[in-house]
């Protein structure tokens, strides 16, 4: 049975839906992800931030079965899913939306959703689509349009909707605002992703717009050089006077060891970090 971890202030977090313990992964050479431990509670939005090359997207691919976990464990709702096939992960309740190549261009929006709902009994498929368009209302007017004709924001909604068709317990989102306008990025984060969590799904989010992502999150992790260097309630991370340096990974990195304290070092320099309308370089 999943347990309820306590946060940095001693409050109980929701029951754990996804747990990573000392996960090591990469692309066959030196590991990119080096002993990462992360937890996502039921109904939580948890965001992973950090500089380019920190291993954020690699971590999601390892969870989703696209990269091999060389050591460590990944547990979903009490079931060890380490290195399971992607098809098996979907049946167990894991959804994944990659940063790109996330829709079938030649198919209509309706057909994309139907593919996502391949496990939904045919008599229930229409009702499930209605639920998805209730969560993502803009999809309703796009059902007959081919994905190739959609804008970047519309394509991302289709990708998220397709992943939700199977009612995942946990949804992994990799850079969902990449390539979107500032307005559409803000809508996706503040309206759509919040609605997913309110519907009962747990969300693990990797996002370049760190401030905006943390503002909608319950918990945050900072990755640098493949390791977790900070873990705290999102509000505590946002309150740090050195948040810019934290985001850029300019905090002491353990070699290896538990996450560092969230207490800011004296005299820390505040660096510029990405908000809703800025682009990461």
């Amino acid at each position: 049975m999943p347990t309820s971890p306590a946060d940095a202030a001693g409050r109980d977090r929701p029951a754990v839906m996804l747990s990573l313990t000392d996960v090591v992964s990469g692309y066959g050479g030196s590991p990119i992800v080096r002993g990462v431990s992360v937890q996502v509670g039921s109904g939580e939005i948890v965001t992973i931030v950090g500089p380019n090359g920190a291993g954020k997207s690699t971590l999601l691919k390892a969870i989703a079965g696209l990269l091999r976990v060389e050591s460590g464990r990944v547990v979903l709702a009490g079931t060890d899913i380490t290195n399971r096939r992607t098809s098996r992960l979907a049946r167990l309740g894991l959804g994944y939306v990659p940063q790109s190549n996330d829709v079938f261009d030649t198919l209509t929006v309706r057909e994309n959703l139907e593919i996502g709902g391949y496990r939904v009994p045919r008599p229930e498929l229409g009702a499930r689509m209605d639920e998805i368009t209730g969560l993502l209302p803009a999809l309703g007017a796009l059902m007959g349009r081919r994905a190739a004709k959609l804008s970047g924001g519309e394509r991302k909604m289709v990708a998220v909707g397709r992943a939700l068709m199977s009612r995942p317990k946990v949804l992994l989102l990799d850079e969902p605002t990449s390539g979107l306008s500032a307005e559409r990025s803000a809508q996706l984060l503040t309206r759509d992703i919040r609605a997913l969590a309110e519907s009962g799904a747990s969300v693990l989010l990797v996002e370049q717009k760190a401030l905006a992502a943390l503002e909608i999150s319950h918990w945050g992790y900072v990755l640098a050089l493949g390791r977790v260097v900070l873990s705290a309630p999102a509000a505590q991370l946002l309150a740090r006077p050195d948040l810019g340096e934290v985001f850029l990974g300019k905090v002491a990195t353990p070699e290896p060891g538990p996450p560092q304290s969230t207490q800011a070092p004296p005299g820390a320099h505040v660096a510029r970090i990405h908000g809703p309308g800025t682009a990461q370089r």
Side-chain angles (χ1 to χ4, degrees):
M1 184 73 179
T3 58
S4 300
D7 68 18
R11 300 181 296 267
D12 283 342
R13 291 177 68 185
V16 176
M17 290 304 298
L18 179 68
S19 176
L20 282 62
T21 305
D22 298 329
V23 168
V24 175
S25 187
Y27 298 88
S30 298
I32 305 299
V33 173
R34 307 175 183 184
V36 167
S37 296
V38 166
Q39 289 185 331
V40 182
S42 177
E44 278 191 323
I45 302 172
V46 173
T47 292
I48 299 175
V49 299
N52 287 341
K56 306 183 296 296
S57 294
T58 301
L59 181 64
L60 292 194
K61 290 176 182 176
I63 299 169
L66 300 175
L67 291 176
R68 180 166 182 78
V69 174
E70 297 172 16
S71 64
R73 296 178 71 223
V74 181
V75 176
L76 175 67
T79 299
D80 191 331
I81 63 168
T82 312
N83 292 324
R84 296 284 188 97
R85 293 192 304 271
T86 54
S87 58
R88 177 62 175 160
L89 294 178
R91 289 195 294 272
L92 290 171
L94 186 71
Y96 172 59
V97 178
Q99 180 178 350
S100 58
N101 299 321
D102 49 4
V103 297
F104 296 99
D105 282 341
T106 60
L107 301 183
T108 66
V109 170
R110 181 180 298 278
E111 290 166 340
N112 269 276
L113 295 182
E114 287 176 347
I115 288 176
Y118 74 97
R119 294 181 55 245
V120 178
R122 178 61 71 175
E124 301 174 16
L125 195 57
R128 182 57 183 158
M129 285 193 184
D130 289 343
E131 292 174 16
I132 298 303
T133 55
L135 285 172
L136 304 169
L139 285 180
L142 301 173
M143 285 297 194
R145 191 175 302 179
R146 294 201 179 278
K149 302 290 187 179
L150 301 178
S151 69
E154 290 167 343
R155 289 169 64 92
K156 189 59 64 176
M157 278 193 297
V158 174
V160 171
R162 192 183 71 224
L164 290 175
M165 284 292 294
S166 61
R167 292 188 176 88
K169 298 181 180 77
V170 176
L171 182 63
L172 311 178
L173 297 176
D174 190 2
E175 303 279 12
T177 69
S178 177
L180 304 188
S181 67
E183 179 181 3
R184 185 65 193 104
S185 295
Q187 288 176 348
L188 182 67
L189 291 172
T190 62
R191 184 188 67 191
D192 298 337
I193 293 178
R194 272 182 172 160
L196 303 185
E198 289 168 0
S199 74
S202 302
V203 178
L204 181 58
L205 173 66
V206 164
E207 178 49 52
Q208 63 180 342
K209 295 177 173 61
L211 283 177
L214 288 172
E215 284 170 356
I216 66 163
S217 299
H218 301 90
W219 197 269
Y221 291 87
V222 180
L223 256 63
L225 299 177
R227 292 194 174 94
V228 173
V229 295
L230 285 173
S231 167
Q236 287 189 17
L237 290 178
L238 284 168
R240 288 183 62 118
D242 64 340
L243 181 57
E245 291 195 354
V246 167
F247 173 75
L248 294 172
K250 295 180 179 179
V251 290
T253 305
E255 184 66 42
Q260 297 293 303
S261 165
T262 59
Q263 182 178 355
H269 173 68
V270 179
R272 183 170 180 265
I273 94 168
H274 304 287
T278 61
Q280 184 177 356
R281 295 283 185 255

